[in-house]
Amino acid sequence: MRTLSLPLALTARISPVVVLAAAGWALTSGPATTPAAEKESAPQSAGESPSGASTAAASKQYAAAPAPCGSIATATLKSLVPGAKTAGKEIPSTDTSLRRTCSWNALKGYDYRWLDVSFEIMESDAAAAKSYKENTTEKSGGGSVPGVGDAGYSVVNLTTEDKQQTREGVVIIQASNALVTVTYNGSDFESKKAPSTDEINKGAIKAAKEAVAALESGQKA
């Protein structure tokens, strides 16, 4: 029987807690957009300050992060991460009302797949926009993801360690004051090749669309 030796980077990925601790919450997203209705304020009284009116108009559509392990359809999980437990594993967070992440990973035969879905609720659209800009600038070489949230970005990269390829896609979506980040990667330990860019990119975007839909249908402020 052939003995498989997993590269150190991929061995670490099999432990969701270790990976999330290493990755942290580096990925966040989105441009700020204040709904027109919120820009229309009541006439200012004599004792009301302009700064007070501006603060009241700040946009914060989402109050809490949704349950991440329930954000992706079972059929999608079976397709993207064959052999994984569809219940997923939620990663511990210091504040689950603001940050929540779920991970799925499995090795089926020689094929390994990993999927993370993360939600972060920020204080305002402007804060989300700033974080989105910072993180998409760091991850250069990608492209926009239209039609999802207020702004979306997708990038795919290939890494090689001990002659083993791994291809990883990251999608960052901003929806009002919420940030959604999806990480999806895969490897083939028999051929030592990685899945195609198209497969990883489409898989990450599909998961991101479902995650944003779960956010939009959940609790709002």
Side-chain angles (χ1 to χ4, degrees):
M1 177 179 295
R2 180 178 179 180
T3 300
L4 297 177
S5 175
L6 305 186
L8 292 177
L10 293 175
T11 300
R13 276 208 174 271
I14 295 177
S15 172
V17 175
V18 173
V19 172
L20 260 292
W25 276 89
L27 298 177
T28 47
S29 66
T33 303
T34 301
E38 295 188 11
K39 293 182 180 178
E40 298 177 2
S41 57
Q44 185 176 324
S45 63
E48 184 180 10
S49 68
S51 60
S54 176
T55 301
S59 171
K60 186 174 181 180
Q61 184 173 4
Y62 298 103
C69 292
S71 65
I72 307 299
T74 297
T76 300
L77 291 171
K78 289 182 177 180
S79 173
L80 297 183
V81 195
K85 295 181 179 180
T86 55
K89 178 179 178 59
E90 184 161 358
I91 306 305
S93 171
T94 55
D95 190 342
T96 55
S97 67
L98 299 181
R99 301 179 181 86
R100 298 183 74 175
T101 297
C102 190
S103 290
W104 298 262
N105 65 88
L107 177 64
K108 186 173 183 180
Y110 293 100
D111 289 324
Y112 179 73
R113 295 292 185 277
W114 171 285
L115 175 68
D116 278 351
V117 174
S118 301
F119 294 94
E120 184 170 10
I121 304 302
M122 304 195 76
E123 61 186 13
S124 67
D125 286 9
K130 179 181 178 181
S131 194
Y132 175 88
K133 182 178 179 180
E134 290 173 351
N135 286 283
T136 55
T137 299
E138 288 177 1
K139 296 182 176 297
S140 61
S144 64
V145 180
V148 188
D150 296 316
Y153 181 81
S154 175
V155 62
V156 179
N157 288 305
L158 176 68
T159 58
T160 303
E161 184 176 339
D162 297 332
K163 298 182 179 180
Q164 173 65 61
Q165 294 182 344
T166 299
R167 185 165 271 116
E168 178 170 281
V170 177
V171 176
I172 306 171
I173 303 292
Q174 182 256 340
S176 187
N177 63 306
L179 310 169
V180 180
T181 302
V182 169
T183 303
Y184 180 50
N185 67 50
S187 300
D188 184 322
F189 293 133
E190 182 174 37
S191 68
K192 291 190 175 294
K193 300 296 184 181
S196 69
T197 297
D198 191 56
E199 177 184 342
I200 293 298
N201 191 48
K202 286 182 176 179
I205 292 174
K206 180 176 178 60
K209 288 180 177 180
E210 292 189 10
V212 172
L215 171 72
E216 293 175 343
S217 64
Q219 181 180 359
K220 296 185 178 181

